[in-house]
Amino acid sequence: MAAFHPLVASRVRISPLLPAAAAATAPVYACAAMPYARRRRFSAIVATAAAAAAAASSATEFDFNTYMGEKAAAVNRALDASIPADEPPAALHEAMRYSLLAGGKRVRPALCLAACAVVGGREAWAMPAAAAVEMVHTMSLVHDDLPCMDDDDLRRGKPTCHVVYGEPIAVLTGDALLSLSFHHMARTDSYPPDVDADKHPARVVRSIGELARCIGSEGLVAGQVVDLEMTGSAEPVPIDRLEYIHLHKTAALLEASVVIGAILGGGSNEQIERLRMYARSIGLLFQVVDDILDVTKSSEELGKTAGKDLASDKTTYPKLLGLEKSREFAERLLSDAREQLSGFDKEKAAPLLHLANYIAYRQN
Amino acid sequence: MALSSLSSLSMSLPLQKLPSVSKSSRFMSIRAHSAAPAASPSFDLRRYWTSLIAEVESELDAAMPIRPPESIHSAMRYAVLPGAGNEGTAKRAPPVLCVAACELLGAPRAAALPAAVALEMLHAASLVHDDLPCFDAAPTRRGRPSTHAAYGTDMAVLAGDALFPLAYTHVISHTPSPDPVPHAILVRVLGELARAVGSTGMAAGQFLDLAGASALGEAEVMQVLTKKFGEMAECSAACGAMLGGADPDEEAALRRYGRTIGVLYELVDDLRSASGNGKMRSNASVLRALGMDRALGIVEELKAQAKTEADRFADKYGDRVRPLYSFVDYAVERGFELRDAAATP
């Protein structure tokens, strides 16, 4: 690419990421040569942190697992109901349902609902948006798995959409899910009757605009494009480029989830922007932790092939910075995210706080 | 799930029996008229359409600047904008229908133009995916390499994926709202656009086409045509109606009009291609399934239906209804070449 401007220039930069020196002197292939003993040691650090998080959560009397279970069930019900049941073509709707209801933790919808609640809204006001972000997420996975893209046969332990239904239907399924997400958000009858009749339409327009921007050619798609262009390149990816990819590929949709939740909940502009910063931090955190887990955990623990990044020579944070610095970076991102929540009511912010902890300390 | 109000319109184009007319005379009438001037004397459709193409394309051009990452933005422009000269020239029928519906109701063109531009983006996104090797495997589109042939299959998938959200972004940022277009109307327009390209609209048509429905009987063929082309045209007219402040009856009539025009236009295209008079089309099987007699009969029925819908507006809106009539005549007769018109405005 001739003129590449990293995202950090066009969007708010996530607070001082790393000392420049750390990036410059990082042992680029450190983990490729990492002896087994070192892998064990870092694995232990991640595990200890998880134990600490578990202890912290019991102290605040917030049962994160129950919370996530309830939200996932509610979101799954909304998703199931959102797909036209008795309208043809039945097979296309079946392919959509196959991809959309394949399980998953529903982290993005949970963030959307929690953001609505933290600004004082009712979660039900944001449920159509929570369903929409999961549809968009699913659509990006369906297209990502296509033979012309990542060419994956398995997703969450099940055959991917194009394996079951064929490529053309997988393309259409993705397109239809994308359209459904916007249609579902725009429909008046998606929302409960107690939304603020005067302000609700403007909020919906703003939310749809946020979602569209975050997933388009300057959001999610931009991340996929730059990632695609990096793949197969012999040169190591510089840290700012890696950050660009993650901020777009992963963080952008998390940002949309949180921001539209806050908009539909009636949050102030200041609250919305604080939550946007929170989402960007946890979005990047999500990917840094993913990279760390790939080199520290076994395939069995992850539920997917471990060491895949190394094997495919993919650029990762541990590769660029070393594991130790990657862990420090993750800690920094987590504390940045927490700081953005400090102005909110503690009790209402508990789900968002625990979601951030969960993303930081998850084991797979 | 509750279906949208228009579902009752879907699928069925009520086709009453027409007296059968000899195959050759019917067919000749279409061909004979194809060189005739537009039917409405005081309304110059060619000029109206041509000026709108120019407006739509300059707004499309401005809506898609080359930004980083350049590759994707370049692929998106390629999919939507015409190339140099005549190659890649599109008729832009959906935006013209959208603007005409809005102007019929006396509302300013500026209210409908952003939605008209969005329709082209959505339309292009569907075409890019429809041309993919795993679909129609079309190597060319509008006389030049299709998007995947020029940019690669992976980039074509992503360009389509990015054009869908760009359409919604464009409507939101450019429609004059909340004045004169209230937010509640804007939300309805966004929902209408999303529905038209979704699993019960255009995607349904593409799916049915894949499944080989157009090689079956009349009902299946009409269903493919209705979903693949009628839905988009209905959406165009409905968006124009909403943005122009239509009352529910007017909106419903314009929806029916749009849907009918969309199917009519496509069916005539198929007839012309089968007669060697138009561009090459892949789905000439439509004609095989219907038979020439029946196809010509349906053309007449659709034409009459569309004119009936336009008649509803004649008393109230006087001369402003003329574009609606002239679209019907153009759809059947193709009285002029827009390709040339677009090249020399």
Side-chain angles (χ1 to χ4, degrees):
Chain A
M1 279 193 322
F4 181 88
H5 306 289
L7 147 108
V8 281
S10 62
R11 288 188 176 207
V12 183
R13 187 180 174 108
I14 291 177
S15 63
L17 288 175
L18 285 167
T25 59
V28 173
Y29 293 106
C31 21
M34 191 176 294
Y36 179 71
R38 275 193 78 189
R39 283 189 66 161
R40 288 298 307 160
R41 192 160 69 82
F42 284 108
S43 174
I45 287 175
V46 175
T48 312
S57 74
S58 69
T60 57
E61 290 177 34
F62 177 82
D63 186 343
F64 181 69
N65 287 335
T66 304
Y67 178 87
M68 289 301 279
E70 283 170 7
K71 299 311 155 201
V75 168
N76 287 340
R77 280 193 300 275
L79 290 172
D80 190 40
S82 71
I83 297 175
D86 41 13
E87 257 193 283
L92 177 57
H93 290 130
E94 187 196 311
M96 292 164 74
R97 201 170 262 117
Y98 177 85
S99 308
L100 195 54
L101 302 176
K105 295 182 280 281
R106 313 300 191 201
V107 170
R108 289 156 192 83
L111 282 166
C112 182
L113 298 174
C116 178
V118 80
V119 299
R122 270 213 322 127
E123 279 186 359
W125 300 348
M127 188 56 87
V133 294
E134 191 64 20
M135 292 173 196
V136 171
H137 177 56
T138 304
M139 165 268 171
S140 76
L141 299 180
V142 170
H143 282 185
D144 234 21
D145 290 339
L146 286 172
C148 67
M149 311 278 277
D150 284 358
D151 196 11
D152 278 322
D153 291 345
L154 281 176
R155 164 81 60 188
R156 291 169 182 158
K158 285 172 67 182
T160 45
C161 184
H162 67 90
V163 169
V164 178
Y165 295 95
E167 270 182 73
I169 291 178
V171 172
L172 277 182
T173 299
D175 290 357
L177 285 171
L178 184 57
S179 302
L180 183 61
S181 69
F182 286 95
H183 186 211
H184 190 63
M185 272 187 79
R187 297 170 58 124
T188 311
D189 59 4
S190 298
Y191 296 88
D194 67 338
V195 291
D196 185 327
D198 293 335
K199 294 175 182 156
H200 181 68
R203 288 174 186 167
V204 173
V205 169
R206 187 174 170 190
S207 300
I208 291 177
E210 279 284 349
L211 180 62
R213 190 182 57 80
C214 285
I215 66 178
S217 61
E218 292 182 289
L220 179 61
V221 170
Q224 287 170 309
V225 168
V226 175
D227 194 16
L228 214 65
E229 288 171 343
M230 288 296 115
T231 311
S233 161
E235 289 170 47
V237 178
I239 187 94
D240 62 340
R241 191 74 54 101
L242 185 67
E243 189 179 307
Y244 178 98
I245 292 170
H246 293 330
L247 276 176
H248 288 78
K249 232 182 131 164
T250 308
L253 189 53
L254 296 187
E255 175 184 331
S257 306
V258 169
V259 166
I260 63 185
I263 292 170
L264 291 169
S268 69
N269 285 338
E270 197 210 320
Q271 288 177 318
I272 291 167
E273 292 316 308
R274 280 191 165 276
L275 291 170
R276 188 190 300 281
M277 296 303 293
Y278 158 87
R280 287 186 187 169
S281 294
I282 61 165
L284 201 48
L285 178 62
F286 197 98
Q287 205 54 53
V288 177
V289 171
D290 234 29
D291 286 358
I292 294 173
L293 289 172
D294 188 70
V295 292
T296 55
K297 306 296 262 186
S298 68
S299 296
E300 205 174 29
E301 288 168 302
L302 286 179
K304 61 180 179 187
T305 318
K308 201 180 159 194
D309 296 344
L310 274 182
S312 63
D313 207 29
K314 196 177 131 194
T315 304
T316 63
Y317 278 98
K319 214 183 262 187
L320 280 182
L321 306 176
L323 254 181
E324 196 84 63
K325 291 272 183 233
S326 300
R327 283 261 313 116
E328 282 172 22
F329 184 32
E331 290 290 352
R332 175 110 111 259
L333 289 167
L334 178 60
S335 73
D336 284 351
R338 282 176 165 156
E339 203 181 303
Q340 298 299 335
L341 298 177
S342 59
F344 292 94
D345 176 271
K346 246 195 173 57
E347 207 172 307
K348 282 186 182 161
L352 288 177
L353 183 66
H354 284 78
L355 272 156
N357 286 339
Y358 163 74
I359 286 168
Y361 298 126
R362 71 207 154 98
Q363 301 296 299
N364 57 39
Chain B
M1 158 181 147
L3 303 176
S4 52
S5 59
L6 52 125
S7 64
S8 59
L9 297 171
S10 69
M11 299 301 176
S12 59
L13 287 158
L15 301 167
Q16 66 273 44
K17 286 272 176 225
L18 279 186
S20 102
V21 180
S22 109
K23 177 178 178 173
S24 55
S25 71
R26 270 260 150 127
F27 188 41
M28 285 314 290
S29 78
I30 285 183
R31 298 191 56 177
H33 277 97
S34 65
S40 303
S42 61
F43 173 75
D44 187 345
L45 177 64
R46 186 175 189 266
R47 178 172 296 165
Y48 182 74
W49 201 320
T50 305
S51 74
L52 269 171
I53 289 178
E55 271 188 73
V56 165
E57 279 176 5
S58 90
E59 192 162 329
L60 279 170
D61 182 62
M64 295 189 295
I66 295 284
R67 287 170 285 204
E70 284 177 23
S71 54
I72 184 76
H73 289 103
S74 160
M76 289 162 72
R77 286 180 67 86
Y78 183 87
V80 179
L81 289 166
N86 264 347
E87 64 165 24
T89 301
K91 291 201 189 76
R92 313 293 184 195
V96 175
L97 196 50
C98 177
V99 169
C102 178
E103 290 187 331
L104 167 73
L105 304 164
R109 177 174 293 191
L113 210 49
V117 165
L119 282 160
E120 274 307 289
M121 293 171 177
L122 294 173
H123 190 58
S126 299
L127 296 182
V128 168
H129 285 178
D130 209 31
D131 286 343
L132 287 174
C134 66
F135 256 96
D136 287 357
T140 62
R141 158 82 57 186
R142 291 168 186 161
R144 59 177 180 166
S146 47
T147 305
H148 67 88
Y151 286 87
T153 307
D154 46 6
M155 202 57 88
V157 171
L158 290 172
D161 291 354
L163 280 168
F164 285 112
L166 182 63
Y168 307 118
T169 309
H170 189 80
V171 173
I172 291 170
S173 55
H174 288 75
T175 303
S177 181
D179 184 42
V181 180
H183 284 124
I185 294 291
L186 200 51
V187 171
R188 286 193 64 212
V189 168
L190 290 164
E192 180 67 28
L193 291 168
R195 191 202 54 79
V197 288
S199 68
T200 59
M202 201 141 131
Q206 287 169 308
F207 176 85
L208 294 168
D209 218 5
L210 273 175
S214 60
L216 301 172
E218 176 174 324
E220 287 81 7
V221 168
M222 292 312 287
Q223 196 180 46
V224 171
L225 289 177
T226 304
K227 287 294 171 188
K228 233 177 145 175
F229 306 99
E231 290 274 0
M232 198 68 185
E234 175 182 325
C235 170
S236 305
C239 288
M242 290 184 236
L243 291 161
D247 66 34
D249 287 345
E250 290 172 329
E251 185 186 315
L254 281 166
R255 280 181 182 281
R256 290 190 298 267
Y257 170 85
R259 178 178 287 250
T260 311
I261 282 277
V263 177
L264 178 63
Y265 192 94
E266 190 58 29
L267 192 53
V268 172
D269 254 11
D270 285 348
L271 293 182
R272 284 162 57 85
S273 81
S275 70
N277 205 10
K279 55 189 173 172
M280 281 298 292
R281 296 198 50 84
S282 58
N283 56 346
S285 57
V286 166
L287 195 59
R288 256 202 311 282
L290 293 179
M292 181 60 86
D293 259 353
R294 183 62 192 134
L296 289 167
I298 294 172
V299 165
E300 289 302 319
E301 289 164 29
L302 293 173
K303 185 178 166 181
Q305 275 179 30
K307 293 226 164 170
T308 304
E309 297 301 343
D311 283 341
R312 293 172 198 273
F313 297 94
D315 286 347
K316 191 168 172 190
Y317 296 112
D319 282 357
R320 289 210 304 266
V321 80
R322 286 213 172 107
L324 263 55
Y325 287 120
S326 66
F327 285 142
V328 181
D329 293 333
Y330 175 80
V332 177
E333 291 157 11
R334 307 296 157 100
F336 53 85
E337 280 291 326
L338 269 163
R339 187 172 277 248
D340 299 338
T344 52

